Amino acid sequence: MTDPSTGGGFAVVELFTSQGCSSCPPAEELLTEIDSDARTRGRPVFALGFHVDYWDDLGWPDPYADAVHTARQEAYARAFGSGRLYTPQMVVNGTEEFVGSDRRRAADTIASALTSAATTPLALSVRNRDGGRRVEVDYRAERPPLDAVVNVAVVERGLRSAVARGENAGRVLRQDNVVRAFTSVALNAGQGRVDLRTPPDLDPRQAAVVGYVQHDGNQAVVGATAIELPVASE
């Protein structure tokens, strides 16, 4: 099991995006830069690209879109009181939202998040099962809130897609930390196990598991960590 996330600051950066949206590539480039900077500097910043499905009928079906991602964005819209869905939208630690390509806002919000202490340290251990098609994740959280859920995502870097139709027709899009599998469960006793089915084309050499603890009501994220996906299957 990984060492628990420290009690120091952290930033969970969720981007809601779609390959069918012409405004989204600059936000996806920003998410790549955020992840690359975090890796280079060893900062606890965890980037996730959630591809939504409501663009799929407008000329190009996003191969990474999922209704579960759209439902997650809808939950944020309710929590923020806006009821509005748009792409690209960036959400930091579940409480701050803004246009996902706004570099200054992203830098300022992440910097602020890194100064706020985590209240629920989280640790993960990960195993590949079924020849790599299933990821088994054990989690343990310290001092979880009563209404907490733990979110677990498998994200993949270095994806490229040639878009043939829609607003990005003719472009080859490079996307990082795309969410390929996701689940959210009640934290209950503070520890447990979840299984995630991963797609057959997932490259485990470019994948990681991100876990984060979140209030079910106000959506505030109170602890997070990540671990690279083991390449060898069991």
Side-chain angles (χ1 to χ4, degrees):
M1 182 165 284
T2 60
D3 292 334
S5 55
T6 68
F10 67 92
V12 172
V13 182
E14 298 174 280
L15 176 68
F16 294 93
T17 184
S18 171
Q19 291 186 359
C21 163
S22 62
S23 300
C24 287
E28 291 161 357
E29 292 170 6
L30 176 57
L31 193 74
T32 291
E33 292 174 17
I34 289 169
D35 177 64
S36 177
D37 179 72
R39 288 174 173 274
T40 299
R41 300 171 62 181
R43 300 202 307 173
V45 178
F46 311 106
L48 305 100
F50 286 93
H51 288 232
V52 298
D53 67 348
Y54 50 83
W55 279 89
D56 283 7
D57 295 331
L58 301 176
W60 178 252
D62 189 324
Y64 308 123
D66 196 308
V68 171
H69 304 168
T70 301
R72 181 158 183 79
Q73 191 182 27
E74 289 171 342
Y76 275 130
R78 292 190 296 270
F80 295 139
S82 67
R84 184 170 69 101
L85 300 184
Y86 69 93
T87 55
Q89 181 188 34
M90 192 168 282
V91 179
V92 177
N93 282 0
T95 57
E96 298 289 335
E97 70 89 15
F98 48 91
V99 174
S101 54
D102 189 334
R103 291 176 174 272
R104 181 179 296 274
R105 184 75 181 274
D108 290 347
T109 306
I110 290 170
S112 177
L114 290 173
T115 67
S116 301
T119 59
T120 305
L122 177 68
L124 301 177
S125 65
V126 178
R127 290 167 297 279
N128 275 329
R129 302 294 193 193
D130 298 344
R133 298 283 68 81
R134 182 168 62 91
V135 176
E136 185 179 270
V137 182
D138 288 319
Y139 58 85
R140 184 182 71 246
E142 300 177 15
R143 305 182 300 278
L146 291 177
D147 66 341
V149 298
V150 60
N151 305 305
V152 182
V154 177
V155 300
E156 186 175 6
R157 302 180 296 275
L159 294 173
R160 294 183 182 274
S161 299
V163 179
R165 298 182 301 280
E167 291 188 2
N168 288 313
R171 300 186 65 173
V172 176
L173 301 181
R174 157 69 187 262
Q175 294 161 325
D176 289 295
N177 284 40
V178 175
V179 175
R180 306 301 311 276
F182 181 81
T183 191
S184 181
V185 298
L187 197 49
N188 295 325
Q191 61 183 5
R193 174 178 296 172
V194 295
D195 283 341
L196 295 95
R197 285 284 174 184
T198 56
D201 61 344
L202 179 80
D203 183 353
R205 297 167 298 179
Q206 297 293 324
V209 176
V210 180
Y212 49 115
V213 179
Q214 187 168 31
H215 281 280
D216 193 32
N218 64 16
Q219 303 294 313
V221 178
V222 293
T225 193
I227 183 173
E228 292 296 300
L229 189 65
V231 175
S233 61
E234 297 179 13

